[in-house]
Amino acid sequence: MKKILLVEDDPNLGLLLQDYLQLKGKFEVVLCTDGEEGLQAFTKQSYDLLILDVMMPKKDGFTLGKDVRKINPHVPIIFATAKGMIEDKTEAFTLGGDDYITKPFRIEELLLRINALLKRTEQTGKKEDAQPSKFEIGKYGFDYTTQIITINGTQQKLSTKEAELLRLLCLKRNEVLTREEALLHIWHDDNYFNGRSMDVFLSKIRKYLKDDPTVEIINVHGKGYKLLVN
């Protein structure tokens, strides 16, 4: 049975979601009513997926998401909020969220998203197990498993999305990684605000690799990106 951590400050909605997901989804659902309680619950046991309300007392969902990513870079996170602005959605994905649902939503839709995300996570894990996880990028070493870039004894920890994007670039080294391919592989949707998030990650990765002039990530106009190592 898959285990879900649900952090929702509205007690009525929280209990409704918990009951529905346990009954219809056959999940074990742990319910917390604020961000601090949610973080404590997360550190005590492992979960297959998290659903985090954004507007919460003591610790908001985005801050909780940051804390979770420091502990576990890979656990799937769905953010749920009444805020529907593009900037909020962009922040959700930039923080390492895997999906975003805007209140009010149908519980059936949430269940569909949960099942789809868990299925993608399992399939991605199987595919990535068969691919290399360590790469040499000029003077840099990159370990995808630990999400760390190393150069001259100095380490740089990457976020989950940064590590996934850099790994795709490494697997396509000196070849074009199309924008659509990267968005669909990492975000599972090539819409506008996901594209904005990816641009932010690319800028950060370029800064991480700036100490080796033989390494460059170039834009290929109208297509995507290419990791060049001379």
Side-chain angles (χ1 to χ4, degrees):
M1 181 181 291
K2 299 289 187 181
K3 184 179 292 187
I4 293 176
L5 176 61
L6 169 63
V7 189
E8 168 59 60
D9 71 326
D10 182 333
N12 294 325
L13 177 59
L15 289 171
L16 177 65
L17 293 175
Q18 183 183 40
D19 289 344
Y20 182 88
L21 294 175
Q22 290 185 151
L23 179 64
K24 297 293 186 179
K26 308 298 183 183
F27 299 114
E28 179 183 348
V29 181
V30 175
L31 173 62
C32 298
T33 56
D34 65 65
E36 289 186 357
E37 182 186 354
L39 183 59
Q40 291 176 2
F42 182 75
T43 58
K44 291 178 180 178
Q45 53 186 308
S46 61
Y47 294 89
D48 297 289
L49 182 139
L50 277 61
I51 303 170
L52 308 181
D53 182 33
V54 173
M55 303 297 291
M56 293 189 295
K58 297 184 181 179
K59 187 189 291 286
D60 66 86
F62 286 155
T63 303
L64 176 56
K66 286 182 183 178
D67 293 339
V68 165
R69 280 290 172 251
K70 293 176 183 176
I71 301 170
N72 186 325
H74 303 295
V75 62
I77 298 176
I78 298 176
F79 286 106
T81 178
K83 301 168 71 176
M85 300 294 290
I86 289 294
E87 291 79 6
D88 299 316
K89 294 180 179 180
T90 300
E91 182 175 3
F93 286 106
T94 301
L95 291 174
D98 298 276
D99 204 350
Y100 186 107
I101 191 166
T102 304
K103 297 179 180 178
F105 54 81
R106 293 177 61 88
I107 303 180
E108 295 86 351
E109 179 186 354
L110 177 61
L111 180 57
L112 289 172
R113 288 172 180 255
I114 290 170
N115 286 330
L117 184 51
L118 288 173
K119 184 177 180 180
R120 288 200 303 262
T121 302
E122 291 175 358
Q123 291 174 342
T124 300
K126 290 177 182 177
K127 290 179 181 177
E128 291 184 345
D129 285 343
Q131 294 178 327
S133 61
K134 294 184 178 181
F135 305 89
E136 291 185 2
I137 314 170
K139 297 178 181 177
Y140 292 90
F142 169 46
D143 189 329
Y144 172 73
T145 304
T146 61
Q147 300 182 192
I148 291 176
I149 294 176
T150 306
I151 183 172
N152 298 326
T154 301
Q155 294 185 339
Q156 172 66 54
K157 178 73 173 180
L158 305 186
S159 71
T160 299
K161 291 290 192 292
E162 289 168 354
E164 290 176 341
L165 184 53
L166 181 54
R167 188 186 196 205
L168 286 182
L169 287 165
C170 289
L171 291 171
K172 289 268 191 173
R173 178 170 169 162
N174 295 323
E175 299 178 9
V176 175
L177 172 65
T178 68
R179 189 174 178 85
E180 180 183 23
E181 180 182 356
L183 286 170
L184 292 177
H185 181 89
I186 300 173
W187 283 269
H188 314 294
D189 192 330
D190 60 350
N191 61 45
Y192 171 76
F193 63 85
N194 287 346
R196 287 275 302 275
S197 295
M198 186 167 69
D199 291 337
V200 173
F201 290 126
L202 274 170
S203 296
K204 290 182 178 180
I205 291 171
R206 286 187 173 110
K207 290 180 181 179
Y208 299 151
L209 300 176
K210 65 180 176 61
D211 290 332
D212 186 347
T214 68
V215 177
E216 185 180 11
I217 299 175
I218 65 170
N219 293 337
V220 181
H221 182 69
K223 293 183 179 180
Y225 315 95
K226 185 184 291 188
L227 172 64
L228 295 177
V229 183
N230 299 317

